[in-house]
Amino acid sequence: MSDRYCVFGNPVGHSKSPAIHALFARQTGEDLVYEARLAPLDGFAAAVRDFAAGGGRGANVTVPFKEEAFRLCDTLSARARLAGAVNTLSFADGRIAGDNTDGAGLVRDLMENLRTPLAGRRVLLLGAGGAARGALGPLLEQAPAALVVANRTAARADALVRPFTALYPQTRLTGGGFDALADLAGGAFDVVVNATSASLAGEAPPLPADAFAPGALAYDMMYGQGDTAFLALARRLGAARLADGLGMLVGQAAEAFFVWRGVRPATLPVLAALRAA
Ligand code: ATR
């Protein structure tokens, strides 16, 4: 019988994860099946235990359960601990191990698919919620020269960067409100990542006119048909390159597949297949 995996979410009907993992399995010859499972808002832990008890080997976790998954795990990887959230569960010997592959998926998409090295670059991360927190550690691992976290609520950005400052002394790491961006004279960025949920409301974080350095990449963790509000703004401000978060989705899935199977699938052909569909 094939090994069983799933993604838990609510809602989860539109998840692309089953299609992505089916393509990974075919590409690598791994014998597994992967389905989407709707967990009740007040029944996530029970749904996970059920799936594990029934022979499930692992699961992904999506909105709104990543923090609850973090609390449910018996053991946590270092990156899950830093992210404060879990998107990848592994079940063995009656125990639940938690990992977080979101940030690694973003970095992999940036480096491999978009050929955008981060070492020595200036990076702007917009937002200070769960998505930003998950990305921060993996971005800092790449040793950018400067990383600014800007958020609508300045205090949240401040609080987010504080525990990371001592861990990554090679990067000038600062956090603040959007208003502080205007004061960063000559502070154009090579990579601007939108980790706010503003695009969901069709809004874009306010960016100064000179936010993008020549050749800069604007990256929205959200994706959909056409430009998100953030990418539309970035286009108007002259960002040289635009990318949405579909590559990050495939990247985090590939990292989860590696956690479970010890095989790292190629992401580009899967990303191309999703874009074509
Ligand atoms: P997620 O897990 O997606 O990061 P979250 O933890 O609720 O969700 O965080 C949402 C992020 O998007 C926050 O940084 C939020 O800013 P605040 O901390 O000020 O709330 C940001 N955000 C949401 N809507 C926004 C908008 N319309 N403009 C700018 N930022 C927005």
Side-chain angles (χ1 to χ4, degrees):
M1 214 169 80
S2 307
D3 289 340
R4 289 171 56 220
Y5 297 85
C6 74
V7 55
F8 289 106
N10 189 328
V12 79
H14 291 97
S15 171
K16 296 184 193 301
S17 292
I20 293 171
H21 282 279
L23 289 168
F24 287 166
R26 192 183 312 160
Q27 181 198 120
T28 59
E30 292 287 308
D31 183 15
L32 60 88
V33 292
Y34 186 112
E35 62 184 310
R37 290 198 158 206
L38 181 72
L41 290 176
D42 60 353
F44 170 71
V48 169
R49 293 207 170 95
D50 238 43
F51 183 66
R57 299 285 301 268
N60 284 129
V61 181
T62 187
V63 178
F65 297 123
K66 291 183 189 181
E67 278 87 11
E68 195 176 345
F70 177 84
R71 295 191 294 272
L72 184 68
C73 290
D74 299 301
T75 58
L76 292 164
S77 68
R79 61 189 179 179
R81 225 177 272 281
L82 264 181
V86 157
N87 80 328
T88 302
L89 302 170
S90 302
F91 311 124
D93 310 321
R95 289 163 68 80
I96 304 176
D99 201 344
N100 191 313
T101 66
D102 284 330
L106 167 67
V107 167
R108 192 159 171 208
D109 191 35
L110 289 171
M111 311 267 290
E112 287 181 25
N113 298 338
L114 298 163
R115 310 211 172 270
T116 304
L118 299 169
R121 303 300 180 88
R122 291 176 50 82
V123 177
L124 172 60
L125 181 62
L126 299 164
R133 184 168 172 193
L136 189 50
L139 287 173
L140 287 166
E141 289 287 338
Q142 299 302 317
L147 197 157
V148 176
V149 177
N151 192 47
R152 183 173 61 184
T153 311
R156 259 186 115 186
D158 248 27
L160 175 61
V161 302
R162 210 166 300 130
F164 288 86
T165 332
L167 292 175
Y168 297 95
Q170 78 279 30
T171 299
R172 197 150 46 76
L173 176 61
T174 52
F178 292 140
D179 48 338
L181 284 175
D183 303 334
L184 293 168
F189 295 91
D190 304 302
V191 178
V192 179
V193 176
N194 180 29
T196 74
S197 50
S199 290
L200 284 178
E203 293 167 8
L207 283 177
D210 58 357
F212 295 97
L217 171 71
Y219 191 104
D220 200 338
M221 287 192 187
M222 302 274 161
Y223 59 86
Q225 291 295 333
D227 284 353
T228 64
F230 165 75
L231 292 178
L233 173 64
R235 195 186 285 280
R236 284 201 300 282
L237 296 181
R241 296 185 303 140
L242 308 175
D244 70 14
L246 195 60
M248 176 176 174
L249 180 75
V250 177
Q252 64 77 30
E255 288 294 316
F257 196 93
F258 177 72
V259 168
W260 294 325
R261 313 298 298 186
V263 184
R264 213 173 239 121
T267 52
L268 257 186
V270 173
L271 188 52
L274 289 185
R275 294 238 189 257

